[in-house]
Amino acid sequence: MNKKVSFLMLLVLMVIGAQAKIRLSHLIGNNMVLQQNTHARLWGWAKPNSTVTVMTSWSDERAEASTDENGWWLTTVLTPPASFEPLNLTFDDGEDQLSIDNVLSGEVWVCAGQSNMEMPVKGFGNCPVENYNQEVIDAANFKHIRSVKVPSVMSATPLEDANCAWRECGPQTVGDFSATGYFFAKTAAKALNIPIGLIEANKGGTRVESWLTEENLKKYTNDPTDSLAIVIKWLKNDYHRSLLWGNGTFNPILNATVKGILFYQGCSNVGDPGDQYSKRLKLLVEQWREQFVLGDIPFYFVQIAPFDSGDKQGTWNALLQEQQYKASKIIPNSGLVCTNDCVYPYEGTQIHPAQKQKVGERLAFLALNKTYGFSSIICESPTYKDMQIKGDTVMIHLDNTFGAYNRFEGIEGFELAGADKVFHPATAKHFWRPGGGYWDECITIVSPEVKEPVAVRYCFRNWQLGNMANVGGLPLFPFRTDNWEK
């Protein structure tokens, strides 16, 4: 009996001892990047109803936090300007100390979405990323880029922590970084000459609803919120499940202090009716901004690339692209990357195109121009502006050309339709004549099959590649001038 009592007392002492030790969120650790020039949040667990003191290598000031009845605590420290100087922090609860090292101050961005954001530099099975070997060799020059990958897990309740660790970029580690995120960071780091941190919280195959909270799902969707009902609805395709991915994969990062969010998602929402996707994406952005409590942080996202979808001539892929474009117009402080030229002609059935460099770079162009003030960087793709019909010819203007088209002839991707609503391939070319009138410079479009055109489309099919771009080499967004169902 005495042995049993002694054993129980030992267990109690072990539990008390474990509670007394400081434990940090896995988002706080060696090699991390702290958001510069701000009050960055730090959090973790210690003995309940105690005080945790945080000391930094860059300041004599100390930050304190009181733990609650569960031992959880949160505090902030004023971070220094970005630099490549390694920093350290020490956490002390009066009984125990814990230090983290090789910390940098810089810019921190979230990499969210589905598999095209999750896709690493080393690629997926049968899905390579272009120039992999060269990127591995070059990674030695970018040790100031750091990344932490949150495990993609589901949870019926919001998780507070995730089993992950920050990684310093190098030839041995870069292969596991998000390719899109890494090429964003590499471009931004070159321009800003500061460290960049990436928090990767994503999951392949997820829908926009996968990341919505229970409250938003109940209020704005018909998706189930009971975990059993969710599992039953998506019994085979667990990656489509609503709520559970957000609870398990995104909730653990919400206390982090970040600069903005990068988002690459949409394939799993192809086929959504009407404006449902654009409205729900706007809802998700509002939710995340509210949860981060950092104001209207930048949200830069990627339009899905052309994809065969089982029918090259179909339009359901284009309709989702259209929804993403609409979302960019209703989400404040956002920007959209066009990817119409980010696939090769032989990648029609490749849902994970290899050219992730372009995608990451264009996200960086948006951030550099809109967030960091590099006004000379062209970050926006051309868009349709207006049209005029003269006989058998359609004349159009584009916005965001920034003074030049990339080509005058050999333009591909345009189609015309008459009153019968049947679209035919069209020939487009640059038109100009002296005089200075509004229509004295435009793009003219004709098709021998359409004598009386009423509508024009550009790359508005599941698989249709164009070659029109602006002076910055950014491709023209797919568009249509009609509102027909097909």
Side-chain angles (χ1 to χ4, degrees):
M1 186 70 178
N2 288 337
K3 289 183 178 180
K4 291 183 178 179
V5 172
S6 298
F7 179 68
L8 290 173
M9 290 180 65
L10 178 61
L11 284 177
V12 171
L13 290 172
M14 289 174 65
V15 170
I16 293 173
Q19 289 178 333
K21 291 185 177 297
I22 297 173
R23 179 167 70 87
L24 302 176
S25 160
H26 284 76
L27 272 293
I28 311 298
N30 295 333
N31 306 316
M32 75 176 298
V33 177
L34 285 169
Q35 180 60 39
Q36 67 162 330
N37 288 329
T38 191
H39 291 276
R41 293 186 291 248
L42 305 169
W43 70 101
W45 295 263
K47 184 178 180 180
N49 303 311
S50 63
T51 299
V52 174
T53 302
V54 182
M55 295 159 283
T56 70
S57 62
W58 64 87
S59 173
D60 292 332
E61 295 184 7
R62 299 185 174 196
E64 290 189 348
S66 298
T67 63
D68 64 15
E69 63 274 13
N70 297 313
W72 186 82
W73 57 269
L74 181 147
T75 189
T76 64
V77 294
L78 182 60
T79 54
S83 77
F84 302 111
E85 178 185 355
L87 309 171
N88 64 72
L89 299 91
T90 300
F91 303 83
D92 189 333
D93 68 351
E95 299 179 10
D96 186 34
Q97 278 194 352
L98 176 64
S99 294
I100 62 173
D101 302 302
N102 196 28
V103 175
L104 297 179
S105 185
E107 295 289 279
V108 182
W109 288 81
V110 175
C111 298
Q114 60 181 110
S115 56
N116 271 298
M117 180 61 85
E118 188 178 26
M119 185 179 187
V121 173
K122 65 184 178 184
F124 289 141
N126 291 321
C127 303
V129 170
E130 199 167 57
N131 296 324
Y132 168 70
N133 279 344
Q134 290 87 340
E135 295 301 338
V136 168
I137 295 168
D138 198 35
N141 299 313
F142 293 92
K143 292 182 179 180
H144 51 288
I145 294 177
R146 312 287 177 81
S147 169
V148 57
K149 176 67 171 78
V150 178
S152 301
V153 299
M154 292 180 285
S155 176
T157 58
L159 299 185
E160 295 181 337
D161 199 11
N163 186 18
C164 54
W166 283 87
R167 306 165 291 194
E168 182 180 77
C169 181
Q172 301 303 318
T173 60
V174 71
D176 292 320
F177 281 43
S178 158
T180 296
Y182 176 67
F183 295 125
F184 164 87
K186 188 175 177 181
T187 304
K190 285 180 179 179
L192 298 169
N193 195 32
I194 60 174
I196 302 291
L198 303 173
I199 299 176
E200 302 178 26
N202 42 59
K203 168 60 182 175
T206 48
R207 304 176 304 131
V208 70
E209 293 84 0
S210 302
W211 307 102
L212 292 175
T213 60
E214 180 177 357
E215 178 184 2
N216 279 332
L217 286 167
K218 286 181 175 178
K219 189 173 181 179
Y220 298 104
T221 80
N222 293 320
D223 276 27
T225 56
D226 173 78
S227 56
L228 180 58
I230 293 171
V231 171
I232 292 173
K233 182 171 182 177
W234 291 283
L235 192 60
K236 294 182 178 180
N237 299 329
D238 64 350
Y239 44 82
H240 283 341
R241 291 173 183 167
S242 55
L243 181 64
L244 305 183
W245 292 110
N247 280 346
T249 307
F250 208 85
N251 205 77
I253 78 170
L254 292 175
N255 286 318
T257 304
V258 302
K259 188 67 173 184
I261 300 171
L262 311 173
F263 190 67
Y264 195 166
Q265 186 275 337
C267 296
S268 291
N269 284 96
V270 168
D272 285 3
D275 292 339
Q276 178 175 293
Y277 181 82
S278 59
K279 292 177 179 178
R280 291 184 180 180
L281 183 57
K282 181 176 185 289
L283 174 65
L284 178 61
V285 175
E286 292 170 347
Q287 171 190 299
W288 280 345
R289 286 173 172 169
E290 181 179 354
Q291 290 175 313
F292 275 114
V293 200
L294 295 168
D296 284 349
I297 55 176
F299 180 80
Y300 300 131
F301 62 118
V302 182
Q303 193 174 58
I304 60 172
F307 183 61
D308 187 309
S309 295
D311 178 7
K312 292 182 178 181
Q313 300 303 308
T315 60
W316 48 89
N317 200 64
L319 289 169
L320 196 281
Q321 292 173 330
E322 184 178 62
Q323 284 298 298
Q324 293 178 307
Y325 180 75
K326 288 181 178 179
S328 73
K329 299 303 178 184
I330 61 176
I331 300 173
N333 198 18
S334 71
L336 179 64
V337 166
C338 180
T339 58
N340 182 261
D341 65 338
C342 294
V343 291
Y344 289 113
Y346 52 80
E347 289 186 306
T349 57
Q350 175 57 280
I351 196 66
H352 304 120
Q355 298 180 69
K356 289 295 182 284
Q357 287 89 344
K358 286 183 180 179
V359 181
E361 288 171 358
R362 289 171 188 176
L363 285 169
F365 295 160
L366 284 168
L368 290 169
N369 180 298
K370 295 177 177 290
T371 302
Y372 297 111
F374 284 68
S375 58
S376 59
I377 290 179
I378 295 172
C379 68
E380 295 180 325
S381 277
T383 59
Y384 166 77
K385 182 178 182 181
D386 56 22
M387 78 171 182
Q388 175 179 263
I389 300 174
K390 285 189 174 182
D392 65 350
T393 302
V394 174
M395 305 162 70
I396 68 168
H397 287 126
L398 304 177
D399 277 327
N400 299 332
T401 64
F402 299 99
Y405 302 112
N406 70 319
R407 60 177 57 243
F408 285 177
E409 296 181 357
I411 300 171
E412 300 174 355
F414 281 97
E415 293 183 291
L416 290 182
D420 62 359
K421 301 182 181 180
V422 177
F423 281 90
H424 299 273
T427 299
K429 62 181 181 180
H430 176 262
F431 171 79
W432 176 85
R433 65 183 174 194
Y438 184 71
W439 291 104
D440 286 327
E441 183 174 16
C442 61
I443 300 296
T444 60
I445 308 162
V446 296
S447 174
E449 288 84 13
V450 184
K451 301 302 182 183
E452 297 181 357
V454 298
V456 58
R457 290 183 176 184
Y458 177 77
C459 294
F460 206 82
R461 295 190 183 274
N462 292 339
W463 178 256
Q464 191 172 19
L465 308 183
N467 59 4
M468 196 71 189
N470 62 18
V471 70
L474 301 182
L476 173 61
F477 276 113
F479 71 87
R480 59 174 175 162
T481 62
D482 63 274
N483 60 359
W484 303 331
E485 291 184 4
K486 294 183 179 181

